[in-house]
Amino acid sequence: MSALRNHTVAQDAQTRVETRQISSQEIAEHLQRRLGRRFHKWFETAEFDINQERLSVVLRNRFAASWVTERFENDLRCVADDIMGPGCCVVIHTQVDDRDSAGKSRAKEQHSAKASDLRPPIRLHGSNRSAQRQAEQYSLDRFVVGDSNKVAYLSALQLVDEPKSSISPLFIHSECGLGKTHLLQGLCRRYVERTQRPGAVRYLTAEQFTNDFVTAIRNNSLDSFRHRMRRVELLAIDDVHFLASKSKTQSEFLHTLDAIDLTGARVVLASDEHPRQIQRLNQALVSRFVAGMVVRIDRPERALRVQIIRHLANERGLSINDAVVEAVADQCISSIREIQGALTKLSAIQMATGGSAGALPGSTSAKQDEIGCVTAGRLFGDESLTPGRPVPIESIVRHVCAKLCVQADELSSSARHPRIVLARRLNAYLCRTLTTRSFPEIARALGVTSHSSIHNADSTLRDMLKQDVCVELPGSQTRVRLQDVVDQLRHEVLRSLSEIRKS
């Protein structure tokens, strides 16, 4: 009888396990249909435990548990009610809580979340650990500061550190890959470290704001959505230009900003464009944006590019020859992502050659693992980094004239204004470095009678580059390095050529 009873109990236990497994899979599938791609970001590694009228959701860390509780608890309750029946209890916790503190309440877990657990959601994708490590790297301490981004960096510090910030909202705009997201996530992390209140900070993209707003309307949960967005001390919204043409979302965002402003909370925004240049954007929103601090991040100057290259190489454990650092700084001028890609490829080339291609042949002083000129030559010999077709001289002239506010016909005149003289020298130098034309051919293309004047202009500009001369540009309040002007013009000419090829 006892053996029969034990066998029955074992069968019942096995039945319960199978039922739990089937129900867990059903919960996951139902939730995935409801949340779409957001399911993979937050629930792909989650475990669902069904025990009678209780649904337990086990997540990877406390921040994930806190984030899921704020954003998806209503969705979990709806799924549980649909599958398990009304009145089901939903509990959200972590694996660490199961082992160390199963008796603590969920509210206490959220309150005691460490600042180091902050994981900006935009950088997390399921169980991708490299994406999580990348998110951890976005801190203000790791932000390399130079002339092109100093104002934005100092403004971010002021927004976070001052008890009552006078520059909110802070609106940062720049081209892609220049550090806007780094600054936003970095100041969010810094605020959490200062206040130890991760729940008081919310970072998301404008796309996430839009999706959450649409979901709230569909689920009749606008009050919950507004509570999450407006009961914060720091709100950071990335890619604000995504709101263009979305009138209802813009209206909701406008009311969110007004509500936050009444509480004295801080707001930081980022976009690829200045607020006034974003097409089809509510003018009331534009007015709110420009009421605070609007700051631009420019493309990194040469000195900053060198700092960034050395900083990233040091973090990756790469030993790079000084000449290679200069070569990467010369070639990669458009964005920091371009520098990251170049370093990644340099490291891969070195690994492929077993670390033996770093030094020049016959060199005995170079380190075996140092990335040298030979490895860099393989990288910059890649046709993807060089023009795929001849560069038209007309394109060079057009970009130089636009940069210096000079008319094309003034180049062949006898005028000696400093900007016109500089434009002639830049044209001569860029035509020699970006094309295969000879001096007489360049002279004819520029409408100059003697090719010796082109030769002199080219030589003079090369001497100015060696002396690290600074020049004045129209509309600039400070003098800029001539090398940076040359780098920017080269980048603009090659980018326009690439765009023509694609079209």
Side-chain angles (χ1 to χ4, degrees), residues 363-481:
S363 174
T364 58
S365 59
K367 300 177 182 179
Q368 277 296 104
D369 60 347
E370 183 179 64
I371 297 177
C373 298
V374 175
T375 306
R378 296 186 180 188
L379 170 67
F380 297 122
D382 189 337
E383 63 178 5
S384 64
L385 296 174
T386 57
R389 56 183 291 185
V391 178
I393 290 181
E394 295 78 9
S395 177
I396 296 174
V397 173
R398 183 173 66 254
H399 283 90
V400 171
C401 290
K403 189 76 171 179
L404 298 180
C405 297
V406 172
Q407 298 296 324
D409 56 0
E410 293 178 318
L411 298 176
S412 57
S413 69
S414 59
R416 302 296 299 173
H417 189 280
R419 279 194 282 112
I420 298 177
V421 173
L422 179 59
R424 292 178 184 134
R425 292 171 178 170
L426 285 169
N427 275 317
Y429 174 80
L430 291 173
C431 287
R432 282 294 292 173
T433 56
L434 294 180
T435 73
T436 57
R437 303 288 188 92
S438 64
F439 284 119
E441 290 174 327
I442 295 174
R444 286 193 295 271
L446 296 180
V448 180
T449 56
S450 173
H451 73 273
S452 61
S453 59
I454 299 297
H455 183 276
N456 291 335
D458 174 64
S459 300
T460 302
L461 194 120
R462 292 177 187 272
D463 292 337
M464 294 171 67
L465 290 174
K466 291 180 181 179
Q467 299 169 11
D468 200 17
V469 172
C470 293
V471 297
E472 293 183 0
L473 292 181
S476 177
Q477 298 179 351
T478 59
R479 295 171 65 86
V480 297
R481 296 177 65 245

Side-chain angles (χ1 to χ4, degrees), residues 42 45 82 101-102 153 168 196 199 238 243 277 300 308 340 361 460:
W42 296 103
T45 60
D82 291 342
S101 55
Y153 175 76
S168 180
Q196 297 298 310
D238 207 347
L243 297 177
Q277 295 176 339
I308 292 173
Q340 292 174 329
T460 302

Side-chain angles (χ1 to χ4, degrees), residues 19-215:
T19 302
R20 182 187 65 79
Q21 290 176 346
I22 295 173
S23 300
S24 298
Q25 182 67 21
E26 189 177 358
I27 289 284
E29 292 176 353
H30 197 101
L31 187 62
Q32 183 175 3
R33 288 194 297 269
R34 183 180 181 89
L35 298 180
R37 63 180 182 179
R38 291 181 297 171
F39 174 86
H40 298 287
K41 291 184 179 181
W42 296 103
F43 295 98
E44 190 172 49
T45 60
E47 297 178 5
F48 300 95
D49 187 12
I50 309 241
N51 185 6
Q52 295 180 350
E53 295 183 352
R54 172 174 171 171
L55 169 63
S56 296
V57 183
V58 184
L59 298 163
R60 57 184 174 270
N61 57 48
R62 291 178 177 176
F63 177 76
S66 175
W67 187 262
V68 167
T69 300
E70 293 181 5
R71 294 169 65 92
F72 303 118
E73 187 172 20
N74 289 336
D75 296 297
L76 286 168
R77 292 187 186 281
C78 292
V79 170
D81 289 344
D82 291 342
I83 297 178
M84 303 171 61
C88 177
C89 176
V90 176
V91 179
I92 303 170
H93 53 105
T94 68
Q95 296 172 352
V96 175
D97 297 328
D98 287 342
R99 294 192 302 266
D100 301 334
S101 55
K104 294 184 179 180
S105 65
R106 186 171 70 252
K108 187 174 182 180
E109 292 164 8
Q110 297 171 13
H111 179 71
S112 62
K114 295 181 179 179
S116 60
D117 287 334
L118 179 62
R119 299 286 191 273
I122 188 60
R123 292 295 176 185
L124 290 180
H125 302 283
S127 59
N128 190 335
R129 294 183 179 180
S130 64
Q132 295 180 4
R133 287 195 299 270
Q134 184 181 10
E136 293 175 350
Q137 294 175 358
Y138 286 104
S139 66
L140 295 183
D141 293 337
R142 297 186 62 259
F143 191 83
V144 184
V145 183
D147 292 339
S148 58
N149 59 19
K150 182 184 296 183
V151 177
Y153 175 76
L154 295 178
S155 300
L157 288 181
Q158 181 180 348
L159 180 78
V160 174
D161 293 341
E162 286 190 356
K164 292 185 178 180
S165 178
S166 60
I167 63 173
S168 180
L170 171 61
F171 193 103
I172 303 172
H173 67 101
S174 75
E175 297 178 8
C176 295
L178 297 184
K180 300 186 299 294
T181 298
H182 190 151
L183 273 181
L184 259 65
Q185 296 191 8
L187 64 87
C188 288
R189 191 176 303 278
R190 185 182 181 93
Y191 190 84
V192 170
E193 292 171 352
R194 285 183 59 253
T195 63
Q196 297 298 310
R197 294 193 297 272
V201 176
R202 184 167 298 279
Y203 168 89
L204 67 163
T205 65
E207 181 184 9
Q208 288 176 312
F209 182 92
T210 302
N211 292 339
D212 291 348
F213 175 59
V214 172
T215 302

